[in-house]
Amino acid sequence: PWRGDDNCFIRRLYISRMTRSRTMIGAAAALMTTTAGRSGAPHVASGFVHLPAKFAVRQTQFRHFMASASSQAAQLYVANVSYNTDAQSLRNYFEQYGKLADIDLPIDRNNTTKNRGFAFLTFEDKETAATMLRDTSSSHLIDGRKVLLSLNHPRGQRNPNRFDDGNADITGAEKKRTLYTIDDSVCPPTDEEVLRKIVTKHCKSLDKYLDNSPIAAHTKAAFSEVKKNAEKFFPDGIPKYSSSSGSSDEPGLILDSGVGTGRSSRMLGEQHPKDLIIGVDRSLSRLLKNDDATATSEDNDESFVQVVEGQPNVLLVRAELGSFWRLIIEEGWEVKSQYLLYPNPYPKPRRLKSRFYAHPIFPVLLSIGSDIIVRSNWEGYLNEFAASANIVSDYSKATSMTCAGKPILSNHLLTAGPQAVVIENEASACTLFEKKYFECGESIYELRLTKRA
């Protein structure tokens, strides 16, 4: 369909359907506007669109547009594609269902031998695509990976339930999809061996990481203020907790990590009036958004510790989490529970190492709290969190790890979940994220890690 010479590439358009053709011509011209000023604009003559040679690099983009412009065509989004799969492999597999008009398999710019893990398929017949979406019993396995299918909508027209074709849930799960839903079709799961390699490396190099990561001055200052409050709160001056004591009357320390505006810490303070709740966040601006927050300075170098008004057992603290965890271990504090409520999941493969469970500080995180409760709207995040925790636990059985000269993770780590969490009403949502998810019907999951001797 393409013909070229020294000056232009030409694409045949059937002018008999004038309205649709004009739309196509206008859209095609819009694709080329970035260099039109230098090379002259595309023009139509005798039923052809003439694209100057400067636009040759755009011909693939234009071809994808033309393929999807047909009123009978339907485009599917394919996720979790193996990075080694090529377009011909996709064509060989999917043409058993129907004729493909086009395949768009984006290539990784940093490694042109691999694709980016997703593709767009344009079927000539809409019914073929609809039939594939309705068929939830079939698994599409290509090059050893189960790919996921969804109906693709034009950019800017995607609705909150954009992975639902209106007739069937392509995942087979009976749960509502919202604007905030993250699953394997949004971010493919991490390869198990890759995750094991990353987590094991961080366990082996923990001492080196801690030696090269100084504790920030404002975190030290904030911890000193917290220590003064703890000395007043606990009978012996320091938090102690034994999971085997079986007594709930003893005051304990509950750490709320990544607390945001402090909503969850205040709720925990109401639920555990005998315990000291410490809510920690690195952002002063977020902490200042709670109703009763006061601070003398917004300078990032200033410490911030606040006793919540009317709740003397709740402290809100500005500090770097990793440094704060290290100071807790250094002081020998025993933490009853640690909450990680809706941590940033970084739902892109290239941001994997920004997630808590793939970060060098992860073994230290797991050392804080007899129970660790993690919540997220992304079930896959919690699955990988649990898998990473098991890797660290297995490593610690064979090789001792230390922080601040003290052994960590000497107890066995048990994982439970992730399990779905039901929020009864808006008032019971413990964070603003949870409140937002409740309002739109987004699913919520909880993972619980427990230490046992």
Side-chain angles (χ1 to χ4, degrees), residues 97 125-136 140 165 168:
Y97 297 96
D125 183 12
K126 283 184 176 180
E127 188 57 35
T128 300
T131 300
M132 294 183 68
L133 288 174
R134 294 191 193 102
D135 183 11
T136 58
H140 303 288
D165 70 337

Side-chain angles (χ1 to χ4, degrees), residues 391-419:
I391 293 170
V392 175
S393 182
D394 291 342
Y395 181 89
S396 66
K397 293 176 187 176
T399 307
S400 62
M401 291 186 287
T402 61
C403 176
K406 299 181 179 181
I408 59 174
L409 289 174
S410 56
N411 293 335
H412 183 57
L413 200 61
L414 302 177
T415 60
Q419 297 176 339

Side-chain angles (χ1 to χ4, degrees), residues 110-131:
N110 298 321
N111 186 352
T112 56
T113 64
K114 297 182 180 295
N115 65 65
R116 293 176 60 190
F118 62 89
F120 299 92
L121 307 179
T122 304
F123 285 91
E124 292 184 354
D125 183 12
K126 283 184 176 180
E127 188 57 35
T128 300
T131 300

Side-chain angles (χ1 to χ4, degrees), residues 112-167:
T112 56
T113 64
K114 297 182 180 295
N115 65 65
R116 293 176 60 190
F118 62 89
F120 299 92
L121 307 179
T122 304
F123 285 91
E124 292 184 354
D125 183 12
K126 283 184 176 180
E127 188 57 35
T128 300
T131 300
M132 294 183 68
L133 288 174
R134 294 191 193 102
D135 183 11
T136 58
S137 61
S138 299
S139 296
H140 303 288
L141 193 67
I142 303 176
D143 291 340
R145 295 195 73 167
K146 180 182 176 182
V147 300
L148 305 169
L149 305 181
S150 62
L151 184 64
N152 186 56
H153 295 271
R155 183 168 294 186
Q157 299 179 22
R158 294 173 180 167
N159 56 46
N161 298 320
R162 59 187 180 276
F163 295 103
D164 186 356
D165 70 337
N167 298 311

